[in-house]
Amino acid sequence: MAAGRRRTTAIAAALAGAALTAGLVGGCGAVDKALDCVRTADSVADSVTDLQQAVENASDDPTQADASLDAIQKDLDRIGDRTDDAGVNKAVDHLDRAVAGVRRAIKDGDATPDVTPVTDAAGELTKVCTP
């Protein structure tokens, strides 16, 4: 868990630095959008970590996975409403489909669904948020 948080923090710091650099070149609007993307990608990364743990501990509390999926969906809605970047929108759509797939698996009775598509799509979002 600590290694995942350190990785997420390192990614967020790198993205924030890149966003600030981009802002010096592109103006305040670009900085705001880039930082928004960074914050959301970081929040999604935390929610994905929570989802992975919830799936691992599904026998203890099966509702944790739903709560993690809800948190990811909330972040996706927020970033989707704030960007006009085609790459970010594509990554958001990919992650949205991955979340829907995990939700469907849980609804169909899979107590430990494969969250790899969610993890992969979250990584894609992190990449496109790097200017």
Side-chain angles (χ1 to χ4, degrees):
M1 168 95 181
R5 294 280 185 203
R6 282 192 298 269
R7 179 182 52 83
T8 300
T9 302
I11 290 169
L15 290 173
L20 291 174
T21 302
L24 295 175
V25 175
C28 291
V31 171
D32 289 341
K33 285 184 180 183
L35 286 175
D36 219 21
C37 193
V38 168
R39 286 185 200 111
T40 302
D42 185 46
S43 181
V44 167
D46 287 344
S47 296
V48 170
T49 299
D50 293 344
L51 175 61
Q52 290 170 325
Q53 290 178 339
V55 168
E56 289 173 13
N57 300 322
S59 61
D60 296 334
D61 185 1
T63 63
Q64 284 182 334
D66 279 332
S68 297
L69 291 167
D70 289 345
I72 294 169
Q73 192 63 55
K74 181 180 172 186
D75 289 333
L76 293 178
D77 291 345
R78 184 173 55 237
I79 196 170
D81 292 343
R82 294 183 181 171
T83 187
D84 56 359
D85 182 279
V88 172
N89 283 329
K90 181 179 176 184
V92 166
D93 289 345
H94 185 205
L95 188 50
D96 192 38
R97 285 191 305 274
V99 166
V102 172
R103 280 192 194 278
R104 196 170 30 259
I106 290 170
K107 183 180 177 186
D108 291 344
D110 188 350
T112 56
D114 179 14
V115 296
T116 304
V118 174
T119 304
D120 292 347
E124 179 183 335
L125 178 62
T126 300
K127 286 179 190 175
V128 298
C129 284
T130 305

